[in-house]
Amino acid sequence: MPLVTARALSTREFTYELPDGAGKGAVVSVPFGRSRARGVVIEVVDAPPAGVKALPVDKVVHELPPALVDLALWLADYYGSTPARALELVAPVRRQRRKEQASPVERQSLEGEAPPAQLSPDQEQAIARIAEGGRFLLYGPTGSGKTEVYLQAASAALERGLGTIVLVPEIALAPQTVGRFRARFGDSVALLHSGLSDAERRDERERISRGEARIVVGARSAVFAPMHGLGLICVDEEHDASYKQESDPRYDARTLAAKRAALEGATVVYGSATPRPESWAALERLELHERLGAQLPPVRIVDLRREAGYPLSAPLLAGLGAIVENGGKAILLLNRRGMAPALHCRACGSTFRCPDCDVALVLHRDETLRCHHCGHAEPAPNECPACGSVELARIGAGTQRLERELAERVPELELIRLDADTAARPDELAQALRRFRDTDRSVLLGTQMVAKGHHFAGVALAAVVDADTGLGLPDLRAEERTFQLVTQLAGRSGRDAPGRVLVQTFQPDARPLALAARHDVPRFLADELERRRELGYPPFRHLVRVLVTSPSERPGLKLLEELRAGLDGYDGELLGPAPLFRLRGKHRAQLVAKTHEPRRLAARTARLLAAAAPAMRRAGLTAVVDVDPQSL
C-alpha cells in the first residue's frame, strides 16, 4: 500500500512484484505514476488480479514486524482514518544517516535506583500473576512500588527472550523512568518520543529492530516500536488523557497497547494510583495495598473564602517557611501558565479575548497577552479599548505570577518552574528535574506535569495552589481529572520522611476534593461508575464525536444536522449539534453519539462525510470523526 497523502488514494491497495524473501511488513520503494513512493506490503498473493500487470518494486528499504501492519490496519478501521495514514505511524520516513551519534538515553535520563533488598508480598503476588499472562490493572497508592513490578516483569520477559515496551503519558516522565530501567538493564534500553530529532528516532528504531534494545521506554508513539518478539507492555499512569492523540489518526495508545498485546500474545499491565473508571470496571486488578516506607501524608483543605492571600495563603506560606527553616523540598501545582488567566476591565466588565478564538487571552510576564490555543500575541493595553478605563484587573494567577510572588515572599528557596514555556526541549526538562533532585530548600512549581509520577526524596510539602481550575469545565471527566490531579500530587510528598499536602480551593465541599483528601480511590470510582451508568457514558457506552469547523456558524451546524438525519436508526443516542467556541478564526460545532457499536457508527459517519466532501470543500468546511474522545 503506497504511503500517499491524497485521501482518495490512501485507502486503496496496489499490486507489485516482490523479490524473493520479502513478505508482509516489508517497507519498499515503488514506481508510482511518474514518481516514486514508499509503500508497505500488507499481503502477499501468488498472482496479481486479472488484468493487472504487476511492476517490480525498486527495492526493499527495511522490514517491520508483521503484527505492526495488522495493528495499523485495525487502527485505521476503528478510528475512522485511512490505512496509509495509520501505516505512516508504524513506518515513518527514515532520514539518511550523515554521522554517528550517541543514543539520547544517557543524555535524557536521571540516575536510577538500586533494586530493593526484598519485595513486598503484594509485589511478589503481582509479578507471579503477570507471568501467567493476560491484561491487568496494577493499582496501589503512590509509592507502593508499581515501577519495581514493571522492572521485575520486564526482567522475566527478557529471560524468556522477549522484549518490553514501557509507555509513559508524556515526555516529562521519560527521564526518571528511562533512568530506572537503564540502571537495571544498561544499554539494552531505547527511548522513543516526539521530542527526539528525526535522526535520533531513526537510530533508536534501528537499535530496536536489530534486537540491540529489548526494552523501549517512551510516550504514546512508542507503542509502534518495531520490536520483534514482544512479551510485555506496561502502561504507566494509565489514567492520563495524554495517551490520546488529538490529530488524525486519533488513536488511544492504551487501546492500541491491548490490541498489539493480543496480536502478539503479549501481556499488558496498566498501572495507576488513580485508575480510569473504564479500567477499574474491565480489568483484573492486582493491588499493592500499602505505600512502601511511609504512610500517605495528611491532606489539609484550605478554604480560600476564608483566606486573604491568593495565590499564597497563610497556611501555604507557613509550610514553605518550615522548609526554609528545616530544609527539604516542595512541589506546587498551578494548572495555568502565565501571570494571570485573564485581564478584566473593572469599569465595563470586558475581558480581553483572542480575536481568532473565543477564549480569554493570558497575561505573561513580558507584558504580552497570548492565546494558548492559536499562539496569537499582542501587547497588554494600558486602558480598556471598549470604554477607555485604566482600571484593569488581573484575574486569578498563572505559574509566572506564582513564581514572582514566591521569589518575593520566600527568597531563601530556589525556584524551578516546569511548564510548556520553560521545558520545551527534553534536555531542558531533564536538567530542571536534576536541579530539583540535587537542591535542598527548592520548590518545583508548574502545571500538571509536576504531579505526574515523579519520585524525589525529601519532598516535605505538596500543594495544589488552585484546585478549582478544572472543576468548572463542561466535560464529563472534569471531576475525575480533578480527583486524579489532587491525589497524584499528594503522592509526591512524604515518601521517605514526614510530609504534608495542602489543597487550596473556593469549593472545599466538592466531592472530588473531599475524597482526594481521604485518599479514597475506591469510593470515588464506585460513585463515578454509578453516575456514568445512569448517564450512559463510558465504560457503559462508547462516545463518537464529529467536530466540524467552518468560516461561519450556520454551514457547520447545517452539515451536522444533515449528518444526524443520516445516522437516524443506527445504534446510539445522538446529542447535538451544538456550537463550540471559535478556534483560530474558525467556527466549530459538534455532534456526539453514545453507542455500543462505535466502529459501525464511525464507519457510517465516514461514508456520509465522504459523500459530502465536494460540497464541504466548496463551503470551506472540515470534519473529523473522533472515536472514544477524552474531552468534549
Side-chain angles (χ1 to χ4, degrees), residues 182-518:
R182 184 168 174 262
R184 200 72 58 92
F185 301 109
D187 292 338
S188 64
V189 178
L191 178 64
L192 284 179
H193 58 66
S194 61
L196 302 181
S197 68
D198 290 340
E200 287 173 329
R201 275 197 296 274
R202 175 206 61 215
D203 290 352
E204 292 296 88
R205 288 179 63 85
E206 288 182 358
R207 290 179 60 223
I208 297 164
S209 184
R210 291 194 301 264
E212 296 172 9
R214 300 298 288 152
I215 308 285
V216 178
V217 178
R220 59 176 175 258
S221 61
V223 75
F224 304 115
M227 178 179 287
H228 298 268
L230 178 65
L232 174 68
I233 303 178
C234 300
V235 184
D236 195 25
E237 307 293 344
E238 70 88 31
H239 62 275
D240 200 293
S242 299
Y243 281 118
K244 185 68 157 67
Q245 170 85 359
E246 293 303 324
S247 59
D248 189 19
R250 295 179 172 238
Y251 68 87
D252 192 316
R254 296 164 294 197
T255 303
L256 290 186
K259 184 63 180 179
R260 183 167 184 184
L263 288 169
E264 303 200 45
T267 297
V268 60
V269 179
Y270 299 88
S272 178
T274 54
R276 293 180 297 160
E278 294 93 324
S279 301
W280 188 260
L283 298 175
E284 178 183 341
R285 293 177 213 157
L286 307 175
E287 188 165 351
L288 307 179
H289 293 85
E290 299 293 335
R291 194 182 218 198
L292 301 177
Q295 295 295 313
L296 285 166
V299 178
R300 176 183 174 184
I301 300 291
V302 178
D303 188 350
L304 289 176
R305 298 173 301 180
R306 296 185 170 91
E307 294 289 335
Y310 179 88
L312 299 177
S313 66
L316 180 52
L317 284 171
L320 294 169
I323 291 176
V324 172
E325 184 175 343
N326 303 320
K329 298 178 173 67
I331 298 179
L332 271 57
L333 166 71
L334 178 56
N335 207 17
R336 285 186 297 232
R337 290 184 285 147
M339 286 292 292
L343 197 60
H344 178 79
C345 177
R346 293 184 186 275
C348 70
S350 297
T351 298
F352 295 85
R353 307 183 75 82
C354 175
D356 297 317
C357 310
D358 285 332
V359 296
L361 291 168
V362 177
L363 180 66
H364 281 245
R365 177 177 290 173
D366 59 2
E367 292 300 314
T368 61
L369 292 169
R370 299 181 190 174
C371 176
H372 287 175
H373 287 286
C374 71
H376 168 84
E378 61 185 59
N382 295 318
E383 61 182 38
C384 175
C387 71
S389 172
V390 295
E391 299 213 15
L392 303 181
R394 301 178 178 192
I395 304 174
T399 51
Q400 287 185 355
R401 177 182 166 189
L402 178 62
E403 182 182 31
R404 187 187 68 183
E405 296 209 7
L406 285 167
E408 294 174 354
R409 304 292 294 275
V410 280
E412 302 90 345
L413 298 177
E414 179 163 350
L415 306 180
I416 303 166
R417 180 158 60 92
L418 196 63
D419 57 27
D421 294 325
T422 62
R425 296 175 57 246
D427 292 359
E428 296 171 345
L429 172 64
Q431 184 179 5
L433 294 176
R434 287 191 192 100
R435 278 180 59 211
F436 181 64
R437 179 199 62 194
D438 297 339
T439 307
D440 189 35
R441 292 178 173 83
S442 59
V443 177
L444 183 68
L445 64 117
T447 52
Q448 58 181 335
M449 63 177 70
V450 305
K452 295 182 179 182
H454 301 297
H455 180 186
F456 292 107
V459 177
L461 174 67
V464 182
V465 176
D466 187 343
D468 304 327
T469 54
L471 276 177
L473 296 177
D475 192 285
L476 76 99
R477 293 183 174 88
E479 291 195 354
E480 175 192 347
R481 287 185 182 145
T482 298
F483 175 82
Q484 290 167 346
L485 207 57
V486 173
T487 305
Q488 288 286 334
L489 183 71
R492 305 307 125 214
S493 172
R495 291 192 173 212
D496 54 355
R500 51 194 304 234
V501 180
L502 298 177
V503 178
Q504 299 187 158
T505 176
F506 289 97
Q507 305 175 64
D509 298 324
R511 181 178 68 102
L513 300 182
L515 291 174
R518 302 203 301 264

Side-chain angles (χ1 to χ4, degrees), residues 107-119:
R107 191 177 68 254
Q108 294 186 22
S109 67
L110 301 181
E111 287 71 14
E113 302 169 349
Q118 64 180 33
L119 301 175

